[in-house]
Amino acid sequence: MNKPREQQIFVQPPETAGDPLKFQQLLAQETVPVPAYLQSSPPQFGDEDLDVARYTSHAFHRLEAEKMWPKAWQFVARAEEIPNAGDHVVYDIVDSSVILMRGDDGGIRGFHNSCLHRGRTLRTQSGTAGQLKCPFHGFTWDIQGRFKSKPCSWDFKHLDDRPLDLPQVRVESWAGFVFINFDAQAQPLLDYLGVLPEHFRSYLMDRATTLAHVQRRIACNWKVAQEAFFEAMHTKVTHPGIMTFTGDVDSQYDVFGDIIARAITPMGVVSPNLGGVDDTTTLNDILALSGRMSETDGSRHRLPEGVTARQYVGELNRQAYAAAAGADLSQATLAELEDAILYSVFPNFQVWAGYFGNIVYRVIPDGDDTDHCLFDVYILGRHPQGSACPPAAPLNRLGDDEPFTAAPEIGALGPVFEEDMRNLPHMMRGMRASQRGKVSLASYQESRIRHHHLTLDKFLGLGGAK
């Protein structure tokens, strides 16, 4: 059993901690070829403050509803959530509602969730149905959206020559993620995703499957929740327990056009905010507390002479992930096997890169409520090559006051998410109370937040993120 030596762990002065070149230095130590896409693509933005009204104003929320949500590609569900004919997910976004449904032909379609008679929603929750029948008067469509019947046909002769199939939204998929777009003229999803498919090309995403899906309503604007995962600088104060294995302020931040941005936080290394931590402690803590490694019990492992915790955990993950996917991962870098490589896709989708345990975040407004949102977290594993993709783990919808620690399927991630969520309602209250009416961002470490608002402004037709 590993027994950490007697240590005197201490907190470093915060003013100088952090090195944005640290990740590239770690890449230089890799013993396998390093993919070019892990190189730095640094942001080049200004330092203007953001107006708090971007988060607190209902008028701004309505502007997003009118100009952004109808035009942007949005992640709705994993394909394995609706594996069989008639399986469907109801997706509500501000005023709009969509039924994402698998048809008899295996295709996935998105129908506007509104009866063509008097507008009643056809489905109120996700599930399985053999047809789409309005609960009010009984107008009926099949699961591919084709009109079947109406009551009292003699009284609707004026509809005989009208098209009565259910109107659809654009539906396209990448790597098992099913997206919709309300704009019939929108660019194809794969073009919208830019570099993302190429960057994920080696990660066996064709074998990805949903191991966990947890959702909770959060008392904050959707952008506040989204941006909580855009930087790692908050680790020292919000997540001090993970600093023994997280290079928080050593993270690398990258942007790729308007839609895609990335943060890479080294793991298996000690935060530059701490001193006096030995490698045995780093090994024990990363296995027990990270929630993403292939093993959770550090006491079962001993560091060989001359091997770092980062090297040891990377090799441990390499063996376990290769076995789970039935794949050869001998060329995988330590970075891809253990680091927090988090991509964001505008407006509200984030996915961790790597070969296993990909965490996925989605944040959507809670209807027309500026001050509440729905936060989803998925965890993706892999199924072996040649085997059928298993059905997705069922959604665990937590109560508004339930902590993420009440979701055992996300393991050690639960306490970390709960630490994040405690800040968010207070951010909303603080922004509303702000005398200055502005928020100020770090030039580099919070560049993904600025990137998000600059892209949002382009959708909204505004001049800049002010």
Side-chain angles (χ1 to χ4, degrees), residues 216 218 225 228-229 231-232 234-246 248 265 267 285-293 340 342 352 359 361 375 377 379 398 403-407 410-424:
R216 197 178 106 192
I218 309 296
F229 300 91
E231 46 78 19
H234 67 278
T235 299
K236 179 180 178 181
V237 177
T238 302
H239 311 298
I242 69 172
M243 287 198 298
T244 55
F245 58 87
T246 303
D248 49 356
T265 301
M267 305 294 281
D285 288 359
I286 191 174
L287 294 181
L289 302 176
S290 78
R292 291 185 56 246
M293 303 303 140
L342 177 57
W352 293 49
I359 307 171
Y361 308 127
F375 176 79
V377 57
I379 299 177
L398 298 175
F404 277 92
T405 52
I410 60 176
L413 293 172
V416 178
F417 290 149
E418 198 57 31
E419 290 168 347
D420 286 310
M421 298 306 157
R422 290 186 196 126
N423 287 319
L424 307 188

Side-chain angles (χ1 to χ4, degrees), residues 346-397:
F346 183 88
N348 65 331
F349 172 66
Q350 299 186 66
V351 55
W352 293 49
Y355 291 92
F356 200 89
N358 310 83
I359 307 171
V360 177
Y361 308 127
R362 180 187 64 187
V363 189
I364 59 176
D366 186 17
D368 200 33
D369 187 343
T370 310
D371 294 341
H372 289 84
C373 63
L374 299 178
F375 176 79
D376 287 83
V377 57
Y378 291 73
I379 299 177
L380 305 184
R382 300 293 184 276
H383 61 89
Q385 185 174 20
S387 67
C389 181
L395 169 65
N396 182 358
R397 176 66 158 88

Side-chain angles (χ1 to χ4, degrees), residues 40-275:
S40 177
S41 180
Q44 301 290 333
F45 300 135
D47 294 313
E48 298 84 1
D49 290 344
L50 299 180
D51 196 319
V52 298
R54 302 177 73 85
Y55 305 92
T56 61
S57 164
H58 189 254
F60 196 88
H61 173 83
R62 292 306 309 172
L63 192 62
E64 294 172 341
E66 294 163 9
K67 294 190 173 183
M68 187 274 287
W69 294 113
K71 297 288 186 180
W73 282 101
Q74 301 160 55
F75 164 58
V76 172
R78 290 284 306 169
E80 64 268 19
E81 291 183 73
I82 49 173
N84 303 310
D87 292 347
H88 60 276
V89 169
V90 175
Y91 176 74
D92 297 324
I93 184 71
V94 194
D95 301 325
S96 298
S97 183
V98 171
I99 305 167
L100 189 74
M101 180 172 254
R102 192 177 291 275
D104 289 319
D105 59 355
I108 298 176
R109 298 171 179 83
F111 306 114
H112 288 272
N113 190 12
S114 177
C115 179
L116 299 185
H117 174 215
R118 284 170 57 185
R120 205 269 195 203
T121 53
L122 296 170
R123 303 297 296 177
T124 58
Q125 59 187 10
S126 304
T128 302
Q131 60 184 5
L132 293 170
K133 183 175 183 178
C134 179
F136 196 179
H137 295 92
F139 274 66
T140 304
W141 292 262
D142 69 17
I143 61 174
Q144 292 178 199
R146 295 173 297 207
F147 180 68
K148 289 180 63 178
S149 65
K150 55 184 177 290
C152 302
S153 296
W154 57 268
D155 209 14
F156 290 96
K157 294 296 185 183
H158 54 291
L159 299 183
D160 287 350
D161 296 330
R162 295 188 193 177
L164 292 179
D165 289 352
L166 288 177
Q168 298 185 31
V169 298
R170 291 268 300 276
V171 175
E172 296 181 22
S173 300
W174 165 72
F177 297 104
V178 185
F179 288 73
I180 67 163
N181 198 312
F182 293 95
D183 182 6
Q185 305 305 315
Q187 67 183 131
L189 174 65
L190 290 183
D191 292 343
Y192 184 86
L193 294 178
V195 302
L196 193 69
E198 176 59 26
H199 286 199
F200 277 67
R201 183 172 56 86
S202 300
Y203 297 146
L204 312 174
M205 297 301 292
D206 58 322
R207 297 185 227 162
T209 185
T210 302
L211 302 180
H213 179 192
V214 180
Q215 182 188 80
R216 197 178 106 192
R217 185 173 183 258
I218 309 296
C220 68
N221 183 264
W222 71 275
K223 295 184 293 296
V224 169
Q226 175 84 350
E227 293 165 12
F229 300 91
F230 275 7
E231 46 78 19
M233 185 173 59
H234 67 278
T235 299
K236 179 180 178 181
V237 177
T238 302
H239 311 298
I242 69 172
M243 287 198 298
T244 55
F245 58 87
T246 303
D248 49 356
V249 289
D250 284 340
S251 297
Q252 173 178 301
Y253 297 91
D254 305 300
V255 295
F256 306 94
D258 289 337
I259 303 301
I260 309 296
R262 179 178 70 185
I264 303 178
T265 301
M267 305 294 281
V269 296
V270 179
S271 166
N273 283 305
L274 285 186

